[in-house]
């Protein structure tokens, strides 16, 4: 289980990422989209951290920055105490052995031209680990870990011959074959049926318990975060607006945006609670000056404060942090 | 496809792992691909036709060795000075100065193959490689590579299509998964992107081959061919120029039919290659 | 008793394949009352979308209606001509599709697209009244009038879905088939769309078939729920009955695999997911007998018939009703 006293395995400090769309021929930048805005995050060893947000909130950008698919425009990122921005060569290869990603869409994340063996084996080939026989053993182990049994029957098959749940298990096997210390799961179940999702959650939980892998679990579903994660961070427009244990954050939300998310969650199966009613019917115009990212939609916003300055994360009780002037 | 019944490696399940086994792996792949190809009727017909034409091209050296009068260009039957129909001496007859049509037809197959294969190689090798590199490397390189293509080949068609295909592929999750796993650029281009653009490259190759053959024939027919060599288009031009169009079907039909058949054969073979290249198109043969 | 708007009786739809006809929908019966709503829940591939397309007469060319009766406002749709179906479609039965971006033409203003939907089906209307209707539709789905002139790409996903809803409502249909209308949307937007759907459905007294894979969403908007598995309905009843005491093991599994926000997190090692990855399809007996925890010899031998748990609640499971 999570050891909160240990130093974090992953630290993101004030990371900023801006996308500029060029639409004129001569490359004058016109549209600036701030995907991450002074975003900070810490994941402890052996912990599942849930990053919750809507599409476009920057949660996927965060994961892409961590694994080096994109370069940040500012801020620092450390893995195991080592700076990971701009790694190259051997240090980068060492890093890629320790951090792996499970992508959202199992129909897209597997190369249709690779057999399952080739797919799962690829990280081993890239890192030049083991000869053929050793690889075969490790691939079979990984497939078994991911719940594809008996593994031998899957080796020669191709992704299109598998169901969505099985494909996602193959993706998990590929991620686990190098025995990584950190997994990023980017909405791994949003394309899957409920019962299959449930099994994938169970598998991820099992991986954490057996192998001690720390995880950044990216999701738009508060229920999934509540059930799988130790701690939860809520991200809105590239800012972390609330962070705390899954229990605290979801049962006693502080930030108006978290409350709005909870309000919108389908009621089914949980006691009908009185709504927090934190969302405005009609949005306010976005102020020109620095402001709280949620100001335009926040019913509880205080004029002359929320539209003038941008709040920073404040620690409330027991590691529950919230970025809101109301606290 | 078989399943290894135990963890011990079985030959059927040989995959690339170490450089030493690489060759074995490719032979294995080829045999697997051939097994898939053989199941495709269209592919079999195309392959058989191509085989016949290849035999013809090879056999084109034989007649002039039997008798100099069978030389397709310079050999003239001393007893014949006008076009004659098929006979034992000239299986498909002779042309207007007594040259053997059958040996001309064989020589034409050689030209068709040369034209077809050379253009195929150019399109598939240069076009695909340059297109993939341009698409993968991105903005700066992109423009210069394209300019170079236009300057060198004045024909960037395949490269352009492959480039746009690569552009759409390179942000697909499975490519990013490979990048996250630490794959090198070369590995991503040749192991991940290449198999995915191959069907398209192949389609373009079939178009290129067939259109090159047809264009060669058309140019030769119009009189822009190499007067020193015999191609099917040349034969058609001679038929037409000497006014035998409607008099000598034995002369007109063979080159015409050959042109149609060889283009069709290339197309059929290319079509069947789709099955080999794309595992999704193969018939399910694995029982769960 | 309220009058039935749509009655579907023993509907079977199959796809022609090399090995004969394979049934995607197998003997499904249900009814939708005027102003009532039915949710069809099931996992991917259970045939729920095929039902929707079948009712609209928009089946793929290789699909065929094998048997069954569909009566809509007293009219038999199975024998209706193509011309008649075109009249009914969109005017009387309309549809809300899942892919909001694909259902709108990117080169036309949304206002014109809605106007076109109205004019196509009601050519006699004057330009003025068309414009008026368009405005009131936008009002209904809560899109500001100022955005009438915009193009689809200027809208967010949720706004686009509202435009799609407005188009579906354009001709005052009496039945709307909503096929996964909120699947690609964020939870806040989904909530807004669901409440918009609830509002118009109530205000305009429109019958609705709501197709979704998410039982929580269906529970939010529908008064009746039908649970589908492998082409057949396995449970059918009012929302309360189906959710509070699900009679079919498959329904229990669907409900059980739903993660909730409750104080006690679901035990992820629980038995609810004993099912999951569909077991091998069996030829005989109940289709889920190989994965069902309660399966008996009877289940392996024969397909269960309908068991009435109450006048409105029926279950297709031989174990249902016993010990209850």
């Amino acid at each position: 289980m999570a050891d909160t006293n240990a130093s974090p395995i992953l630290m993101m400090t004030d990371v900023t990422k801006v996308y500029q769309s060029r639409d004129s021929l001569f490359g004058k930048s016109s549209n600036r989209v701030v995907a991450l805005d002074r975003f900070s995050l810490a994941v402890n060893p052996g912990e599942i951290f849930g990053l919750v947000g809507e599409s476009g909130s920057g949660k996927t950008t965060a994961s892409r920055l961590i694994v080096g698919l994109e370069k940040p425009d500012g801020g620092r990122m450390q893995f195991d105490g080592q700076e990971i921005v701009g790694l190259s060569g051997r240090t980068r290869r060492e890093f890629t052995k320790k951090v792996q990603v499970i992508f959202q869409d199992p129909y897209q994340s597997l190369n249709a031209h690779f057999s399952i063996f080739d797919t799962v084996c690829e990280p081993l080939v890239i890192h030049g680990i083991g000869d053929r026989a050793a690889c075969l053993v490790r691939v079979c182990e990984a497939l078994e870990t991911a719940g594809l049994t008996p593994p031998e029957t899957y080796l020669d098959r191709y992704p299109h011959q598998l169901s969505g749940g099985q494909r996602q298990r193959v993706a998990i096997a590929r991620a686990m074959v190098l025995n990584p210390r950190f997994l990023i799961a980017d909405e791994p179940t949003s394309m899957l049926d409920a019962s299959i999702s449930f099994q994938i959650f169970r598998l991820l939980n099992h991986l954490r318990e057996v192998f001690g892998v720390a995880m950044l679990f990216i999701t738009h579903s508060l229920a999934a975060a509540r059930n799988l994660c130790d701690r939860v961070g809520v991200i809105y427009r590239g800012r972390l607006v609330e962070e705390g244990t899954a229990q605290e954050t979801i049962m006693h939300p502080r930030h108006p945006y978290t409350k709005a998310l909870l309000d919108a969650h389908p009621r089914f199966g949980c006691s009908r609670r009185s709504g927090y009613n934190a969302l405005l019917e009609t949005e306010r115009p976005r102020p020109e000056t620095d402001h709280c990212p949620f100001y335009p939609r926040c019913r509880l916003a205080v004029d002359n404060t929320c539209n003038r300055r941008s709040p920073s994360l404040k620690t409330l009780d027991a590691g529950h942090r919230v970025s809101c002037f109301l606290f | 496809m078989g399943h290894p019944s135990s963890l011990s490696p079985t030959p059927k399940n040989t995959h690339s792992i170490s450089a030493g086994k690489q060759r074995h792996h490719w032979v294995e792949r080829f045999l697997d691909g051939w097994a898939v190809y053989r199941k495709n009727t269209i592919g079999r017909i195309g392959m058989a036709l191509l085989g016949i034409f290849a035999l013809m091209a090879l056999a084109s050296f034989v007649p002039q060795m039997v008798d100099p009068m069978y030389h397709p260009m310079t050999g003239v039957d001393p007893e014949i000075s006008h076009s004659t129909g098929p006979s034992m001496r000239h299986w498909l007859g002779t042309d207007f100065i007594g040259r053997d049509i059958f040996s001309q037809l064989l020589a034409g197959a050689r030209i068709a193959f040369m034209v077809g294969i050379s253009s195929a190689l150019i399109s598939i090798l240069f076009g695909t490689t340059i297109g993939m590199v341009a698409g993968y490397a991105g903005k700066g390189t992109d423009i210069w590579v394209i300019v170079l293509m236009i300057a060198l080949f004045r024909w960037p068609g395949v490269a352009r299509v492959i480039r746009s295909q690569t552009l759409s592929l390179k942000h697909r999750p499975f490519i990013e998964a490979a990048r996250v796993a630490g794959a090198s650029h070369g590995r991503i281009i040749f192991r991940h992107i290449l198999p995915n653009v191959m069907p398209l490259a192949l389609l373009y190759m079939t178009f290129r081959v067939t259109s090159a053959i047809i264009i060669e024939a058309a140019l030769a027919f119009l009189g822009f061919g190499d007067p020193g060599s015999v191609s099917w288009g040349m034969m058609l031009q001679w038929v037409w120029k000497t006014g035998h169009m409607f008099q000598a079907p034995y002369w007109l039909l063979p080159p015409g039919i050959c042109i149609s058949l060889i283009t069709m054969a290339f197309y059929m073979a290319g079509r069947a290659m789709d099955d080999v290249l794309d595992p999704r198109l193969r018939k399910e043969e694995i029982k769960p | 008793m309220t009058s039935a708007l749509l009655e579907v009786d023993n509907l079977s739809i199959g796809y022609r394949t090399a090995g004969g006809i394979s049934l995607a929908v197998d003997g499904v019966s249900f009814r939708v009352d005027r102003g009532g709503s039915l949710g069809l829940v099931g996992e991917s591939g259970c045939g729920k979308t095929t039902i929707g397309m079948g009712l609209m007469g928009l089946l793929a060319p290789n699909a065929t209606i094998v048997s069954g009766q569909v009566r809509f406002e007293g009219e038999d749709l199975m024998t209706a001509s193509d011309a008649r179906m075109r009249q009914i479609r969109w005017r009387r039965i309309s549809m809300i599709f899942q892919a909001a971006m694909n259902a709108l033409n990117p080169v036309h203003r949304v206002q014109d697209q809605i106007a076109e939907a109205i004019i196509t089906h009601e050519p006699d209307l004057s330009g003025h009244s068309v414009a008026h209707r368009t405005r009131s539709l936008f009002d209904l789905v809560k899109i500001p009038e100022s955005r009438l002139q915009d193009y689809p790409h200027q809208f967010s996903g949720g706004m686009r879905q509202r435009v799609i809803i407005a188009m579906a409502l354009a001709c005052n249909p009496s039945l709307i088939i909503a096929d996964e209308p909120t699947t690609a949307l964020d939870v806040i937007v989904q909530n807004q769309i669901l409440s918009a759907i609830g509002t118009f459905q109530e205000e305009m007294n429109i019958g609705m078939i709501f197709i979704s894979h998410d039982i929580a969403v269906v529970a939010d908007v529908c008064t009746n729920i039908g649970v589908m598995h492998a082409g057949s309905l396995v449970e059918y009843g009012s929302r309360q009955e189906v959710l509070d005491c699900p009679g079919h093991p498959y329904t229990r599994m669907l409900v059980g695999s739903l993660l909730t926000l409750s104080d006690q997190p679901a035990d992820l090692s629980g038995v609810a997911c004993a099912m999951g990855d569909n077991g091998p399809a069996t030829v005989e007996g109940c289709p889920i007998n190989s994965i069902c925890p309660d399966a008996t010899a009877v289940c392996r031998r024969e397909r269960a018939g309908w068991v009435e748990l109450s006048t409105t609640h029926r279950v297709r499971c031989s174990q249902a009703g016993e010990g209850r």
Side-chain angles (χ1 to χ4, degrees):
Chain A
M1 280 308 277
D3 179 3
T4 40
N5 296 323
S7 61
I9 188 167
L10 177 85
M11 279 260 278
M12 296 175 83
T13 319
D14 288 334
V15 174
T16 300
K17 175 72 190 172
V18 182
Y19 290 105
Q20 305 214 330
S21 68
R22 283 189 294 177
D23 57 7
S24 75
L25 190 62
F26 302 101
K28 270 190 189 158
S29 61
S30 56
N31 241 332
R32 279 177 94 243
V33 178
V34 182
L36 283 183
D37 184 8
R38 286 158 285 164
F39 178 80
S40 300
L41 177 86
V43 182
N44 296 318
E47 164 184 78
I48 301 185
F49 186 93
L51 190 56
V52 184
E54 295 183 274
S55 52
S57 61
K59 54 192 197 303
T60 295
T61 304
S63 76
R64 294 173 62 84
L65 288 173
I66 296 169
V67 294
L69 286 172
E70 313 252 0
K71 300 238 176 309
D73 294 312
R76 302 170 58 205
M77 289 189 292
Q78 287 172 313
F79 183 79
D80 244 356
Q82 183 197 11
E83 187 66 37
I84 54 171
V85 179
L87 279 185
S88 65
R90 214 172 56 82
T91 42
R92 166 143 180 82
R93 284 167 66 84
E94 283 304 310
F95 170 71
T96 58
K97 271 196 216 172
K98 291 184 227 152
V99 178
Q100 289 292 316
V101 183
I102 301 161
F103 289 89
Q104 172 176 14
D105 183 352
Y107 292 86
Q108 294 270 326
S109 68
L110 304 180
N111 191 338
H113 294 266
F114 276 38
S115 67
I116 301 310
F117 174 81
D118 284 338
T119 305
V120 180
C121 190
E122 198 187 19
L124 297 172
V125 177
I126 289 169
H127 292 281
I129 296 168
D131 60 0
R132 231 186 51 77
C135 278
L136 193 55
V137 172
R138 285 187 72 165
V139 168
C140 287
E141 278 173 8
L143 288 173
E144 220 161 358
T145 305
L148 294 169
T149 49
E152 301 86 49
T153 55
Y154 289 91
L155 293 174
D156 274 337
R157 297 168 84 173
Y158 283 87
H160 71 274
Q161 295 165 323
L162 304 182
S163 69
Q166 287 171 327
R167 285 177 195 219
Q168 198 58 289
R169 286 173 187 273
V170 170
I172 292 173
R174 172 176 61 186
M176 287 303 292
V177 75
L178 287 171
N179 284 325
R181 299 191 47 212
F182 190 72
L183 267 187
I184 297 172
D186 187 356
E187 304 215 31
T189 63
S190 64
M191 312 290 286
L192 304 175
D193 280 327
S195 61
I196 312 292
S197 307
F198 198 87
Q199 294 181 331
I200 297 289
F201 287 144
R202 208 162 58 134
L203 174 59
L204 292 177
N205 201 33
H206 171 79
L207 293 180
R208 185 262 301 270
E209 272 164 16
V210 174
F211 298 94
V213 199
M215 257 180 247
L216 179 63
F217 181 78
I218 293 171
T219 181
H220 62 266
S221 158
L222 283 166
R226 169 84 181 99
N227 284 281
L228 185 66
C229 302
D230 304 310
R231 287 196 302 138
V232 167
V234 180
I235 182 173
Y236 183 71
R237 284 184 156 252
R239 299 289 300 270
L240 198 66
V241 295
E242 184 161 5
E243 180 200 50
T245 61
Q247 158 84 18
E248 248 320 274
T249 312
I250 290 169
M251 298 325 289
H252 307 287
R254 303 294 175 88
H255 198 279
Y257 176 65
T258 317
K259 292 176 179 170
L261 279 180
L262 281 163
D263 266 351
H265 196 275
R267 293 270 183 279
F268 179 82
C270 59
S271 53
R272 203 169 271 272
R273 94 192 72 112
S274 55
Y276 295 107
N277 206 10
L279 204 63
L280 270 184
E281 288 280 321
T282 48
E283 293 190 15
R284 300 190 190 97
R286 196 162 280 283
E288 297 286 316
T289 54
D290 206 13
H291 58 274
C292 171
F294 194 55
Y295 169 76
R297 294 167 79 185
C298 183
R299 186 184 290 281
L300 311 168
V302 182
D303 274 336
N304 291 330
T305 307
C306 297
N307 55 350
R308 296 282 168 82
R309 283 178 293 138
S310 165
S312 54
L313 278 174
K314 256 174 285 201
T315 304
L316 305 175
D317 44 292
H320 193 162
R321 298 199 294 164
V322 66
S323 161
C324 181
F325 288 117
L326 297 175
F327 298 96
Chain B
M1 256 178 255
H3 300 141
S5 51
S6 70
L7 285 189
S8 66
T10 60
K12 195 69 196 161
N13 190 39
T14 313
H15 300 282
S16 79
I17 279 141
S18 61
K21 301 248 168 74
Q22 201 70 275
R23 224 186 97 222
H24 189 193
H25 162 67
W26 286 111
V27 170
E28 198 62 43
R29 287 228 150 175
F30 177 79
L31 291 178
D32 275 357
W34 177 239
V36 175
Y37 187 95
R38 270 198 345 221
K39 295 204 184 90
N40 189 313
T41 317
I42 288 181
R44 281 214 304 268
I45 296 174
M47 201 45 104
L49 282 173
L50 285 181
I52 292 170
F53 282 115
L55 277 180
M56 283 172 67
L58 285 178
S60 68
F61 298 99
V62 176
Q64 60 250 46
M65 282 193 271
V66 173
D67 190 319
M69 77 166 178
Y70 286 127
H71 190 281
M73 194 69 210
T74 56
V76 178
D77 190 330
E79 289 158 33
I80 299 174
S81 57
H82 63 279
S83 178
T84 57
S87 63
M88 280 307 286
R89 198 174 155 91
H90 299 285
W91 292 350
L92 289 177
T94 63
D95 71 357
F96 63 113
I97 47 173
R99 292 181 298 189
D100 186 64
I101 290 177
F102 182 66
S103 56
Q104 286 185 346
L105 201 67
L106 298 186
R110 202 168 69 216
I111 300 288
F113 261 101
M114 270 161 60
V115 169
I117 301 286
S118 62
S119 76
L121 279 184
I122 287 177
S123 66
I124 206 156
L125 284 181
F126 284 82
T128 308
T129 314
I130 290 177
M132 283 194 308
V133 171
Y136 184 74
K139 299 249 151 138
T141 356
D142 220 24
I143 291 168
W144 293 113
V145 168
I146 296 286
V147 168
L148 192 76
M149 279 304 289
I150 296 171
L152 283 183
F153 303 99
R154 80 196 185 321
W155 167 74
V158 170
R160 217 165 49 194
V161 172
I162 298 294
R163 176 183 154 268
S164 59
Q165 179 86 349
T166 308
L167 279 177
S168 80
L169 280 170
K170 89 173 170 189
H171 291 300
R172 295 268 284 281
F174 70 86
I175 300 286
E176 304 206 317
R179 283 175 67 191
V180 169
S184 64
H185 296 309
R187 188 184 167 81
I188 290 175
I189 289 181
F190 290 104
R191 277 290 273 146
H192 287 276
I193 294 179
L194 182 62
N196 280 286
V197 297
M198 266 311 260
L200 202 66
L202 208 79
L203 180 76
Y204 266 78
M205 188 191 75
T206 23
F207 285 159
R208 274 328 283 181
V209 171
T210 52
S211 68
I213 291 171
I214 287 173
I215 286 171
E216 191 278 332
L219 286 176
F221 176 73
L222 293 173
F224 300 109
D226 172 12
S229 66
V230 182
S231 72
W232 292 332
M234 277 312 236
M235 293 172 72
L236 289 176
Q237 192 214 1
W238 290 327
V239 182
W240 177 59
K241 264 201 166 162
T242 57
H244 287 80
M245 208 68 166
F246 302 102
Q247 276 77 47
Y250 53 85
W251 187 3
L252 172 73
L253 290 179
I257 291 172
C258 280
I259 292 172
S260 318
L261 279 184
I262 199 169
T263 52
M264 204 169 87
F266 270 113
Y267 174 76
M268 288 165 114
R271 176 76 186 66
M273 276 301 282
D274 273 359
D275 283 5
V276 179
L277 293 174
D278 194 339
R280 284 165 294 193
L281 296 179
R282 292 178 201 162
K283 300 244 159 62
E284 286 287 319
E285 45 191 317
I286 292 174
K287 287 159 207 83
Chain C
M1 191 151 175
T2 43
S3 64
L5 176 68
L6 177 82
E7 276 177 300
V8 174
D9 191 25
N10 203 23
L11 179 70
S12 293
I13 303 174
Y15 287 93
R16 278 186 289 272
T17 62
I21 288 179
S22 78
L23 285 184
V25 176
D26 186 4
V28 166
S29 311
F30 57 81
R31 56 176 270 165
V32 180
D33 291 332
R34 211 167 276 279
S37 56
L38 168 71
L40 287 179
V41 196
E43 303 199 328
S44 45
C46 73
K48 54 196 194 297
T49 295
T50 307
I51 290 185
M53 290 313 228
L55 295 179
M56 287 288 277
L58 292 172
L59 285 173
N62 64 336
T64 171
I65 292 177
V66 181
S67 67
Q69 283 256 316
V70 177
R71 298 189 72 79
F72 174 70
E73 292 182 328
E75 186 177 350
D76 187 356
L77 291 191
M78 290 298 100
T79 55
S81 65
D82 280 357
R84 179 70 190 134
M85 273 313 286
R86 271 197 298 278
Q87 282 176 356
I88 293 171
R89 199 185 302 147
W90 221 261
R91 277 195 79 155
R92 308 304 309 142
I93 308 179
S94 69
M95 195 156 185
I96 302 172
F97 294 98
Q98 175 180 354
M101 195 57 195
N102 303 338
L104 290 172
N105 188 336
V107 299
H108 292 302
R109 296 177 196 284
V110 291
Q111 178 184 29
D112 299 342
Q113 297 195 42
I114 292 183
E116 199 198 325
I118 301 173
I119 293 165
T120 312
H121 296 282
E122 291 172 51
D124 307 333
L125 238 50
S126 71
H128 181 74
S129 51
V130 169
H132 179 75
R133 168 111 49 109
T134 310
R135 273 199 302 279
S136 61
L137 282 168
F138 261 57
D139 198 39
L140 188 74
V141 296
K142 296 205 181 81
I143 300 180
E145 223 172 89
S146 57
R147 306 211 53 180
L148 277 168
Q149 295 286 328
D150 285 357
Y151 288 94
H153 73 267
Q154 293 167 303
F155 286 89
S156 65
M159 289 287 240
R160 263 182 239 135
Q161 196 57 284
R162 287 166 192 267
V163 176
I164 297 290
I165 293 173
M167 277 176 81
L169 295 173
C171 301
N172 287 323
S174 47
L175 177 69
I176 280 194
I177 300 171
D179 187 1
E180 306 258 11
T182 62
T183 297
L185 301 175
D186 285 318
V187 54
I188 289 181
V189 182
Q190 165 174 294
N191 192 40
Q192 289 165 344
I193 296 289
L194 290 181
S195 65
I197 288 177
T199 312
F200 76 65
Q201 209 234 324
E202 217 163 88
E203 279 179 12
M204 300 169 74
N205 199 28
I206 297 175
M208 176 168 71
I209 297 177
F210 191 100
I211 298 167
S212 177
H213 69 278
D214 190 343
I215 198 166
V217 168
V218 167
D220 246 18
V221 284
C222 298
T223 48
N224 284 305
I225 293 180
V227 180
M228 287 193 68
H229 175 73
S232 5
L233 272 177
V234 294
E235 179 154 4
Y236 183 87
S238 74
R239 165 169 56 194
Q240 236 58 43
E241 287 167 324
V242 172
L243 297 183
D244 290 350
C245 48
H248 198 278
Y250 184 72
T251 315
R252 284 202 287 276
M253 193 275 299
L254 273 187
V255 174
S257 61
L258 193 78
L259 299 174
T260 63
L261 293 171
S262 62
D263 253 328
Q264 290 297 311
D267 180 9
L268 286 176
S269 61
V271 287
C273 52
M275 297 193 166
D277 262 329
N278 289 349
T282 44
V283 188
E284 285 178 356
C286 173
I288 65 163
N289 74 50
S290 62
I291 45 174
C292 176
D294 306 331
T296 63
V298 181
C299 301
R300 275 174 218 107
R301 210 167 49 240
E302 58 196 41
R303 193 81 202 263
W306 283 104
V307 176
E308 303 250 339
L309 295 181
S310 76
T311 49
T312 51
H313 189 192
R314 56 199 161 98
V315 176
R316 201 162 177 189
C317 173
S318 54
Q319 306 298 306
E322 288 172 23
R324 275 169 196 276

